[in-house]
Amino acid sequence: MAALQPNLYLMDNKALFNIGYGLYVLTTNYDNIDNGCIVNTVTQVTSNPLQVAVTVNKGNYTHELIKNSCVFNVSMLTTETPLKVFEHFGFQSGRSVNKFATCEEEHRAVNWVLYIPKYTNAYLACRVNKSIDFGTHTMFIANVLDAQVLSDKPSLTYDYYQNNIKPKPQVENPCNGKRRWECKVCGYVYEGDSLPDDIVCPLCKHGKEEFEEIIETTAPASCILPNLSDASPTECLKTDQPNQEDNNKAQNITAMEQIKLNDNIYYVGVNDRRTDRFENHMELPNGVSYNSYLIVDEKVALIDPVEAGFIEEYLFKIKSVLKDRKVDYLVINHDEPDHSSSIAAVLREWPEAQVVGNAKTFAPLEAFYGPVANKKVVAEGETLTLGKHTLQFFMVPMVHWPESMVTYEQTNGILFSNDAFGGFGALNGGVFDDQVNLAFYEDDMRRYYSNIVGKMAMQVVKAVEKLGGLTIKMIAPSHGLVWRSNPAWVIGKYTQWSQHEGEEGVVIVYGSMHGNTGVMADIVARGAAEAGVKEVKVYDVAKTEVSFILSDIWKYKGVIIGACAHYANMFPNMNLLTHEINEFKPKNKCYGIFGGMSWSGGGVKTLAKYAEEGQWNLVAENVEVKGAAIREEDWDKLYNLGKTVAEAIKG
Ligand code: FEO
């Protein structure tokens, strides 16, 4: 009977050579260190969102840097690549050699990582969103932030490299008289008097067992070895001519429906419905928008760029308005990367643009993205005339970072407020407040406020007071709706939230391992409802992400928190919520505490510690229940806890 299974003991690893690998230079930058290596493991994994994977040996310095930086570029080599490029990137370690000592800085992509401009036909700029540990290697899965075609030369395959670039076995008595061993896995050739026992192939990291001595029998080396004199080792880091990537792209963009705020002021923002969590911790069930605005006058000003992952759509929108014109000023109201991370891509398109910021803008900006060439530093109240439009700048420190400022467009009374007056929620067709049902956005606005700028509520109040002297006809924030019909509505909401004006309602949050503390929460809720409070919200802290709970805590006056014991402490998920409460310090609240003891207690004790540290206004006795709430006295205490807090908020 014929064997159906392959004989594993006769497996020929060379079968793997028949996989159609390409060859790439993988580059990264961490802490101002540039490095790169040769890889053959790049694959596209999804198209929407656009993701690629690359697998890297853990021994490589490039691996170490990517683990820290979470950014990399893939430069795709062509068939014209000389051996010197492989020797430069593959046969030496960045730990001992600076492989980019002679690089040209302009070849940095949007993620501030260098790409290889010569002997390549394209590059991808990527940010890692997941990594998988495979023991000896790590697979990095990354979003593609930018992709550019550099030439029409054919891509280099591993097979082509083996047959046309890699040196062939040499003749007897090679030029230098040394013996040679070839790595059977990748083709690397070692020269020396003998093969060291501890040799590790610098390309594929295999050991001595994979090396085979080359027995040379054919023509002179000089006939076979490629002519290496046609390329210096680092020639690939420079371009022969100015990079002409897509320089006619703007001409080819057809007209699209443009969103106008006023005469020559355009909305050019983007929607993000693919990021799961804002700042990687707040869930985004409705997405978020990164707003940006373009003022076209005698001079062109672009107000705040967008998150780098949306650069292609963003540039398309700008170019559809500008056609042949250029951006003269790029205003950076705020350095946080959800806005600023596309700055390199914008400046690559319009390198003469002046970057407008204040005295605190540029140090963090350059720490994130490297040197900014054309800076324009503006002071409090300073103006910048574009032609018919004049911009004026006001500092709003800590709304949301120390360098935050807003830009006031005097001619039409438009306030470009950056994070202030913003909200979560992608813009579903309606960009302006009069085009949507505000009830849909209000909860996501408050969640944005309470989790992002609420900690700096006093600074928000000061900012609102400072801007009160301006005639504001429209508010154009960097997230969420543009307020053209009723800016007073959003100013009123922000003022209310900043002044901690809670509504009548009780938020009950519990952490429960086996459901007993959850049952207690229901008894507490009955007490609150029976006291006449109609807005009673009960949350399981293990189920509802904290930003939603903090938003409701900000909204309502009553807060009752329950946690079961977990060893000698409390249910672990509750620690994040209580930490956030003490970090953001919502005021004018009436608090209560309860929980289950399990065998030794710890839940209520830990909550009481947080309450003391955060100076919570506890209006009722803490309730701690042994085991489950199966005794009448426990029911009474829990019920009365809810009732007492409810009565306290009703005054
Ligand atoms: Fe939307 Fe603080 O950045």
Side-chain angles (χ1 to χ4, degrees):
M1 185 175 156
L4 296 176
Q5 299 293 327
N7 186 339
L8 295 177
Y9 299 101
L10 297 177
M11 187 165 70
D12 184 351
N13 286 350
K14 286 185 177 171
L16 299 171
F17 291 176
N18 291 346
I19 297 176
Y21 297 109
L23 284 167
Y24 315 92
V25 182
L26 179 72
T27 50
T28 189
N29 174 284
Y30 174 66
D31 201 17
N32 288 325
I33 298 170
D34 293 298
N35 195 45
C37 66
I38 303 286
V39 295
N40 63 349
T41 52
V42 177
T43 50
Q44 180 178 344
V45 290
T46 58
S47 57
N48 189 15
L50 188 53
Q51 294 181 107
V52 294
V54 60
T55 304
V56 190
N57 188 291
K58 287 182 178 176
N60 285 1
Y61 189 40
T62 305
H63 177 279
E64 180 182 326
L65 297 179
I66 293 176
K67 284 291 274 186
N68 287 304
S69 69
C70 293
V71 286
F72 64 78
N73 288 351
V74 175
S75 297
M76 303 176 196
L77 294 168
T78 70
T79 51
E80 296 186 342
T81 310
L83 179 66
K84 282 281 184 182
V85 171
F86 293 92
E87 292 178 329
H88 183 71
F89 285 108
F91 291 20
Q92 54 186 355
S93 171
R95 289 188 175 92
S96 52
V97 173
N98 179 0
K99 299 181 184 179
F100 288 91
T102 61
C103 73
E104 294 173 344
E105 282 293 315
E106 67 264 30
H107 297 127
R108 291 197 185 276
V110 292
N111 55 4
W112 203 245
V113 175
L114 289 161
Y115 59 91
I116 310 300
K118 191 166 184 183
Y119 304 123
T120 53
N121 56 22
Y123 76 86
L124 307 176
C126 307
R127 179 189 298 149
V128 176
N129 61 36
K130 180 184 282 190
S131 60
I132 303 174
D133 190 329
F134 287 110
T136 56
H137 291 68
T138 300
M139 176 184 280
F140 298 106
I141 299 171
N143 288 107
V144 177
L145 306 178
D146 192 16
Q148 298 294 336
V149 173
L150 302 175
S151 80
D152 57 5
K153 300 290 188 301
S155 291
L156 176 62
T157 63
Y158 188 72
D159 188 54
Y160 187 93
Y161 167 80
Q162 289 282 339
N163 293 322
N164 299 282
I165 299 176
K166 192 188 86 169
K168 296 289 188 292
Q170 292 184 35
V171 293
E172 205 171 347
N173 298 320
C175 308
N176 56 13
K178 293 191 173 174
R179 294 167 66 190
R180 295 155 55 82
W181 288 262
E182 181 182 19
C183 173
K184 291 181 290 180
V185 177
C186 71
Y188 168 75
V189 175
Y190 174 83
E191 287 185 355
D193 297 327
S194 62
L195 186 67
D197 288 338
D198 60 353
I199 188 170
V200 175
C201 176
L203 288 184
C204 65
K205 308 299 175 192
H206 286 83
K208 185 177 182 181
E209 66 282 1
E210 298 294 348
F211 280 77
E212 187 173 76
E213 186 166 9
I214 300 169
I215 308 298
E216 291 111 354
T217 57
T218 55
S222 57
C223 299
I224 297 172
L225 289 173
N227 177 7
L228 304 183
S229 63
D230 62 352
S232 72
T234 56
E235 190 187 7
C236 59
L237 302 179
K238 300 183 174 71
T239 42
D240 293 333
Q241 299 169 353
N243 189 0
Q244 300 197 4
E245 56 188 72
D246 296 333
N247 58 356
N248 290 324
K249 194 191 257 182
Q251 308 299 327
N252 299 331
I253 293 173
T254 54
M256 60 180 289
E257 188 169 346
Q258 292 150 347
I259 303 167
K260 285 189 171 188
L261 276 63
N262 218 323
D263 52 30
N264 292 315
I265 303 180
Y266 299 80
Y267 175 91
V268 288
V270 297
N271 280 320
D272 180 358
R273 297 187 184 87
R274 66 190 188 214
T275 298
D276 291 335
R277 290 171 185 257
F278 194 75
E279 294 180 356
N280 207 21
H281 66 107
M282 289 166 262
E283 286 180 5
L284 289 173
N286 302 313
V288 66
S289 70
Y290 310 114
N291 300 347
S292 178
Y293 305 92
L294 190 64
I295 306 175
V296 182
D297 201 329
E298 291 167 25
K299 296 287 186 182
V300 171
L302 185 59
I303 313 287
D304 287 316
V306 302
E307 210 278 336
F310 299 83
I311 189 65
E312 194 170 341
E313 176 187 350
Y314 180 54
L315 292 178
F316 181 91
K317 288 181 174 177
I318 297 169
K319 290 175 180 178
S320 77
V321 175
L322 291 184
K323 307 297 184 205
D324 290 333
R325 296 197 60 187
K326 299 184 185 320
V327 172
D328 297 295
Y329 298 107
L330 172 59
V331 177
I332 302 290
N333 280 317
H334 179 25
D335 285 343
E336 195 167 10
D338 54 328
H339 310 289
S340 65
S341 54
S342 60
I343 185 171
V346 172
L347 293 178
R348 192 177 56 207
E349 292 291 335
W350 299 288
E352 296 89 17
Q354 281 194 285
V355 179
V356 181
N358 60 64
K360 293 182 179 173
T361 301
F362 290 101
L365 197 68
E366 294 185 324
F368 277 122
Y369 310 111
V372 175
N374 301 320
K375 298 175 203 165
K376 181 172 179 55
V377 179
V378 293
E380 171 77 14
E382 189 172 332
T383 57
L384 174 65
T385 299
L386 306 175
K388 291 176 185 164
H389 301 81
T390 298
L391 304 181
Q392 191 172 19
F393 305 95
F394 296 95
M395 309 305 130
V396 288
M398 301 313 296
V399 188
H400 156 223
W401 280 8
E403 87 301 344
S404 293
M405 68 177 188
V406 295
T407 300
Y408 177 62
E409 191 276 320
Q410 293 180 336
T411 317
N412 296 286
I414 300 175
L415 181 69
F416 298 101
S417 60
N418 198 265
D419 277 352
F421 308 118
F424 290 138
L427 299 177
N428 299 330
V431 170
F432 299 95
D433 56 336
D434 50 86
Q435 296 179 321
V436 303
N437 179 357
L438 284 183
F440 175 78
Y441 283 97
E442 184 176 345
D443 278 352
D444 252 356
M445 282 187 59
R446 190 185 59 256
R447 189 164 65 91
Y448 171 90
Y449 173 88
S450 54
N451 286 274
I452 294 176
V453 289
K455 179 174 167 59
M456 281 70 76
M458 276 313 299
Q459 283 86 344
V460 175
V461 170
K462 283 181 189 166
V464 170
E465 287 172 358
K466 174 195 276 193
L467 303 173
L470 304 174
T471 302
I472 298 175
K473 295 179 181 170
M474 195 182 308
I475 294 178
S478 289
H479 302 289
L481 296 166
V482 177
W483 302 86
R484 71 176 174 191
S485 295
N486 192 5
W489 188 90
V490 71
I491 293 174
K493 285 291 175 191
Y494 260 62
T495 304
Q496 175 193 340
W497 296 329
S498 299
Q499 293 177 343
H500 301 271
E501 293 175 8
E503 299 175 20
E504 185 177 299
V506 177
V507 182
I508 300 167
V509 194
Y510 68 90
S512 181
M513 288 195 290
H514 300 291
N516 292 310
T517 306
V519 171
M520 295 175 209
D522 278 330
I523 302 168
V524 174
R526 279 296 301 151
E530 286 288 327
V533 173
K534 292 185 175 170
E535 294 290 339
V536 178
K537 308 281 185 181
V538 180
Y539 292 109
D540 178 347
V541 77
K543 191 172 174 187
T544 304
E545 193 263 307
V546 160
S547 71
F548 293 91
I549 302 172
L550 190 63
S551 177
D552 262 1
I553 288 175
W554 212 281
K555 180 176 183 180
Y556 296 112
K557 292 178 180 173
V559 184
I560 306 176
I561 299 183
C564 67
H566 182 255
Y567 297 102
N569 288 296
M570 70 175 171
F571 186 76
N573 298 39
M574 189 61 81
N575 282 288
L576 177 58
L577 176 66
T578 46
H579 170 271
E580 291 293 84
I581 291 173
N582 286 359
E583 183 75 20
F584 282 78
K585 298 181 174 55
K587 294 185 174 59
N588 305 328
K589 306 296 173 193
C590 295
Y591 282 95
I593 288 173
F594 68 99
M597 276 189 73
S598 186
W599 71 82
S600 64
V604 169
K605 182 185 73 179
T606 310
L607 283 173
K609 182 166 69 73
Y610 275 106
E612 186 179 353
E613 288 171 2
Q615 299 180 314
W616 298 1
N617 174 32
L618 292 169
V619 298
E621 289 284 322
N622 299 345
V623 179
E624 188 165 36
V625 175
K626 284 183 181 170
I630 54 175
R631 290 162 290 275
E632 189 173 342
E633 65 265 29
D634 291 332
W635 276 72
D636 287 348
K637 286 178 186 172
L638 291 164
Y639 182 91
N640 284 332
L641 174 64
K643 184 166 175 277
T644 304
V645 171
E647 288 171 349
I649 66 165
K650 288 171 75 71

